[in-house]
C-alpha cells in the first residue's frame, strides 16, 4: 500500500495538483489580480510607487527583472535603459508577455530563469527588480545575496513586497481578492498559505541586515508599520 492510499484510508485529503493550479493561475492571473476592483487598483499602484523615484533622465543600462510573470511591471518603468531582461520560471505566465511594447521596442527580451540561482555572471546588471517575488521563495536570505551577486557595484536592487500578514493586507485579501479566486475555482486559502511562505517582518529584517544602504517606503500610509500598510518597497544600493 502506498502512502497516498494509506492517507485516504485515514480520511486525509490529498494536496491539490500543483501543475493544474499553475495553469489556472496563469490563465486568470492578470484579469483577477490586476483588472478587478480595489485589490487590482492597489496592486497596480504598488508597481507605480516602485518606479516613482525615477524619470526618463535616469539611465540604468542593463536591467534584470526576476519573477516577471506576465510582464506587468515594465509598463511602469520610467527610466531609460539599453537592455531589459524579463525572467520567470513559469512559461505559461511568460507566454502572456507582450514583447512588441512600442515604448521600448527591441530593448526587451525574456528568459526562463530560476530566481534563486541565476545563470548570469557576477556584476552583470545595473538594476535588478523583484516585484512580488521574495515572499514566495524559500531561503530568502540566500536569494537576496544571489540578486546582489549579479549587480554591478553601485547597482540598485528594487523589492516590492506585500505587508502579509499585516492587518490591512489581510483585510484587503479577504474583502476583495479572495472571493474572486474562489469564484473561479481556485482553493485560495490553501495556495496563499503555500505560496506566501515568508512574512513581511522577516523579509524586512533580512533586507536591513544585508544592506546598509536601503531606501524604504511603506505604502499607502507612509508610517513604518506592517499592519497599517499594504506594501513595503525598498531601493537598495549595493
Amino acid at each position: 500500500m502506498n502512502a497516498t492510499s494509506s492517507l485516504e484510508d485515514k480520511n486525509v485529503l490529498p494536496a491539490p495538483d500543483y501543475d493544474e493550479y499553475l495553469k489556472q493561475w496563469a490563465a486568470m492571473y492578470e484579469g483577477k489580480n490586476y483588472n478587478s476592483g480595489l485589490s487590482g487598483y492597489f496592486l497596480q499602484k504598488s508597481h507605480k510607487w516602485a518606479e516613482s523615484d525615477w524619470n526618463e533622465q535616469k539611465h540604468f543600462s542593463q536591467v534584470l527583472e526576476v519573477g516577471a510573470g506576465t510582464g506587468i511591471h515594465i509598463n511602469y518603468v520610467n527610466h531609460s535603459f539599453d537592455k531589459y531582461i524579463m525572467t520567470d520560471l513559469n512559461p505559461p505566465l511568460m507566454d502572456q508577455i507582450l514583447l512588441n511594447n512600442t515604448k521600448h521596442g527591441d530593448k526587451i527580451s525574456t528568459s526562463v530563469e530560476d530566481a534563486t540561482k541565476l545563470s548570469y555572471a557576477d556584476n552583470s546588471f545595473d538594476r535588478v527588480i523583484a516585484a512580488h517575488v521574495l515572499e514566495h521563495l524559500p531561503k530568502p536570505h540566500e536569494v537576496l545575496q544571489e540578486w546582489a551577486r549579479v549587480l554591478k557595484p553601485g547597482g540598485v536592487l528594487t523589492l516590492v513586497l506585500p505587508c502579509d500578514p499585516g492587518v490591512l493586507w489581510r483585510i484587503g485579501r479577504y474583502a476583495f481578492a479572495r472571493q474572486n479566486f474562489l469564484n473561479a475555482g481556485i482553493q485560495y486559502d490553501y495556495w496563499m498559505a503555500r505560496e506566501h511562505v515568508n512574512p513581511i517582518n522577516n523579509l524586512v529584517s533580512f533586507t536591513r541586515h544585508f544592506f546598509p544602504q536601503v531606501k524604504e517606503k511603506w505604502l499607502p500610509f507612509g508610517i513604518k508599520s506592517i499592519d497599517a500598510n499594504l506594501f513595503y518597497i525598498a531601493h537598495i544600493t549595493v
Side-chain angles (χ1 to χ4, degrees):
M1 181 180 294
N2 60 40
T4 302
S5 298
S6 176
L7 290 175
E8 289 174 351
D9 291 341
K10 297 174 182 176
N11 199 30
V12 177
L13 297 178
D17 184 83
Y18 185 67
D19 291 335
E20 182 60 29
Y21 157 73
L22 284 180
K23 290 177 184 177
Q24 287 181 288
W25 187 259
M28 64 183 67
Y29 177 79
E30 191 166 334
K32 294 296 183 185
N33 256 350
Y34 286 91
N35 300 328
S36 179
L38 197 60
S39 60
Y41 169 80
F42 276 109
L43 277 172
Q44 291 185 55
K45 288 288 286 186
S46 71
H47 295 276
K48 186 174 183 178
W49 284 327
E51 297 301 323
S52 64
D53 291 73
W54 296 292
N55 56 35
E56 59 187 12
Q57 277 69 53
K58 179 64 178 178
H59 186 75
F60 291 100
S61 178
Q62 305 293 316
V63 181
L64 174 69
E65 184 181 349
V66 295
T70 58
I72 289 169
H73 188 84
I74 197 170
N75 297 319
Y76 301 91
V77 171
N78 300 312
H79 63 75
S80 60
F81 53 82
D82 298 314
K83 187 174 184 180
Y84 189 113
I85 305 175
M86 289 187 279
T87 69
D88 203 285
L89 198 58
N90 187 354
L93 284 175
M94 296 187 71
D95 289 344
Q96 301 178 50
I97 294 176
L98 299 177
L99 290 181
N100 58 342
N101 186 307
T102 56
K103 184 178 178 180
H104 301 297
D106 59 4
K107 295 179 180 180
I108 306 170
S109 63
T110 63
S111 178
V112 176
E113 285 278 340
D114 182 346
T116 70
K117 192 176 182 181
L118 298 168
S119 66
Y120 303 104
D122 296 358
N123 309 321
S124 293
F125 297 96
D126 300 281
R127 188 182 181 204
V128 172
I129 302 168
H132 302 286
V133 179
L134 193 60
E135 67 270 24
H136 298 278
L137 302 178
K139 299 183 179 180
H141 55 296
E142 296 180 2
V143 176
L144 285 169
Q145 294 177 79
E146 172 68 357
W147 294 345
R149 177 187 69 79
V150 300
L151 276 167
K152 299 174 184 177
V156 174
L157 169 61
T158 295
L159 305 176
V160 182
L161 298 168
C163 289
D164 186 11
V167 171
L168 191 60
W169 177 268
R170 282 184 286 138
I171 291 173
R173 168 184 286 176
Y174 280 90
F176 301 103
R178 181 176 182 270
Q179 195 58 50
N180 287 337
F181 285 96
L182 289 176
N183 291 341
I186 295 241
Q187 298 182 54
Y188 186 82
D189 295 333
Y190 173 88
W191 288 113
M192 287 302 99
R194 183 163 163 180
E195 290 283 347
H196 280 214
V197 296
N198 300 309
I200 184 60
N201 53 303
N202 287 358
L203 297 178
V204 172
S205 294
F206 290 141
T207 299
R208 291 173 175 173
H209 172 81
F210 289 118
F211 306 111
Q213 297 185 64
V214 53
K215 178 182 178 182
E216 298 179 335
K217 296 196 288 187
W218 298 84
L219 294 158
F221 296 115
I223 59 176
K224 294 182 178 181
S225 168
I226 67 171
D227 290 314
N229 289 284
L230 294 172
F231 304 106
Y232 169 83
I233 296 172
H235 295 304
I236 300 158
T237 303
V238 301

